Amino acid sequence: MTRSFLSRLTGSFAMPAAENPTVAMVEAAYHHHDLDIRYINCEVAPENLGDAVKGVRAMGWIGFNCSIPHKVAVIDHLDGLGESAAVMRAVNCAVRRGDKFIGENTDGKGFLLSLRNAIDPAGKTIVMLGAGGAARAIGVELAFAGAKRIIVANRSELRGRELVDLLNGKTKTSAELVHWREPYEVSTETDVVINATSIGLYPNVDARLDLNTETLRPGLVVADVIPNPPKTRLAREALARGCAAGDHLALILNLALLCVWLTRGVLWLLMAVGHGLSCFMLRQMEYDADR
Ligand code: NDP
């Protein structure tokens, strides 16, 4: 036998999963470097998450990503957590080390790399809309980066309170909660507004945040965690009002880079991720053309 037909396996668990471009990017990277590894994009319902992780163990996967709605729930099915994932209590990347699956989190780090293109968060006042897995990861990294104050606005008060308590209890940043029940008004001392909710994610690309866009003033930095579409409705509205709005392709690139680095330990895959990005942009153009 000259070659093995048994590929190593990686992948992603999310629901929905069809809008997630990671498979195109990571498989392009594997292919470019002649790595015999597959990346399987799986749609997994919350009640099946435990079985999915058992399946991963049974099939000997070397790692997997997880996205909505599994980032917190997956912790119960893993063997341990890396340092930042342990503070955030959220996981977007599980890595097999020996016979154990260890949860890591690259969400906040990737986002911060992109945000720094527009502003250094040190000493800044930041409004975070949302308090889910992405908000938690980004909030902790913002605090570690020296943000002065984080105002968390969330629809569910309980979930918002958990994030605020985490930031106040485990970081030096001062955090406060706004129970988000009416159009959010951005105060003049705010330097950065981050949409860390899932509002605007494909296919609901026209969904609108409950935000008074009149309060978005020129010079304010507005960033969005939504990876697809690359330019969200919020970003378009913010740009029209003279705000600086984030670069979503750079965000996706940074996230992919960190996930691949953790899973394979090889930073040189960065170049191939660029190729994957062009595949994603092609899909986006096809999607735009269909509309
Ligand atoms: P979660 O399900 O953990 O959290 C969703 C958040 O959105 C919650 O705060 C939820 O509020 C809020 N939300 C959802 N719908 C509404 C609504 N109609 N009105 C008000 N609030 C709402 O999801 P994640 O945090 O994992 O993911 C959120 C988004 O971030 C996704 O689009 C995902 O693709 C993106 N993402 C970006 C990353 C990055 O930039 N680094 C990394 C990971 C994900 P409530 O608590 O009240 O339900």
Side-chain angles (χ1 to χ4, degrees):
M1 189 168 77
T2 54
R3 60 162 288 196
S4 165
F5 291 93
L6 188 64
S7 302
R8 282 176 292 170
L9 298 175
T10 59
S12 171
F13 297 158
M15 187 169 182
E19 94 299 341
N20 189 340
T22 316
V23 56
M25 298 155 63
V26 177
E27 285 220 320
Y30 292 157
H31 182 71
H32 181 84
H33 289 282
D34 208 17
L35 292 167
D36 187 12
I37 309 176
R38 300 293 312 278
Y39 189 97
I40 320 289
N41 190 23
C42 307
E43 187 155 86
V44 176
E47 61 273 23
N48 295 328
L49 181 63
D51 286 343
V53 178
K54 278 186 195 153
V56 153
R57 293 178 193 272
M59 290 183 277
W61 286 30
I62 58 174
F64 64 93
N65 290 125
C66 44
S67 189
I68 303 174
H70 303 315
K71 293 186 178 187
V72 176
V74 75
I75 293 173
D76 290 341
H77 306 289
L78 300 176
D79 304 303
L81 297 177
E83 198 177 1
S84 59
V87 174
M88 294 166 193
R89 302 297 301 168
V91 163
N92 77 330
C93 188
V95 187
R96 196 180 76 200
R97 299 203 175 109
D99 60 352
K100 299 201 182 326
F101 272 92
I102 305 299
E104 301 281 0
N105 201 310
T106 60
D107 280 341
K109 293 179 178 67
F111 184 86
L112 224 67
L113 281 175
S114 304
L115 185 69
R116 281 187 195 281
N117 290 333
I119 194 168
D120 178 356
K124 303 295 188 303
T125 294
I126 295 167
V127 168
M128 174 96 76
L129 303 170
R136 204 191 295 217
I138 291 166
V140 168
E141 297 294 351
L142 286 169
F144 286 167
K148 185 173 80 180
R149 181 175 168 219
I150 299 178
I151 300 159
V152 176
N154 201 52
R155 179 181 60 178
S156 145
E157 194 172 10
L158 183 67
R159 212 169 179 197
R161 172 59 54 203
E162 282 173 12
L163 176 54
V164 165
D165 288 349
L166 172 83
L167 292 172
N168 283 328
K170 299 211 169 158
T171 76
K172 293 184 179 137
T173 298
S174 149
E176 60 206 72
L177 176 65
V178 172
H179 188 192
W180 188 15
R181 287 171 296 186
E182 52 195 30
Y184 190 87
E185 309 255 335
V186 180
S187 65
T188 48
E189 70 265 25
T190 304
D191 301 295
V192 182
V193 174
I194 298 170
N195 171 30
T197 74
S198 44
I199 299 168
L201 184 64
Y202 175 87
N204 302 315
V205 295
D206 292 323
R208 228 176 150 270
L209 286 162
D210 198 8
L211 171 71
N212 180 356
T213 50
E214 303 274 306
T215 60
L216 298 178
R217 62 180 200 287
L220 184 73
V221 174
V222 178
D224 206 320
V225 296
I226 303 291
N228 185 9
K231 192 159 282 176
T232 58
R233 178 175 182 160
L234 172 66
R236 292 198 308 272
E237 289 179 350
L239 285 169
R241 293 197 58 83
C243 305
D247 175 347
H248 305 91
L249 290 179
L251 166 63
I252 295 165
L253 176 65
N254 287 326
L255 279 171
L257 165 67
L258 287 162
C259 289
V260 169
W261 178 74
L262 269 173
T263 309
R264 297 290 304 143
V266 279
L267 269 169
W268 43 264
L269 286 185
L270 172 61
M271 285 168 59
V273 173
H275 172 66
L277 260 183
S278 61
C279 298
F280 170 55
M281 289 169 78
L282 199 65
R283 278 179 49 177
Q284 188 62 38
M285 282 190 286
E286 285 168 358
Y287 161 66
D288 285 341
D290 286 346
R291 277 162 58 83

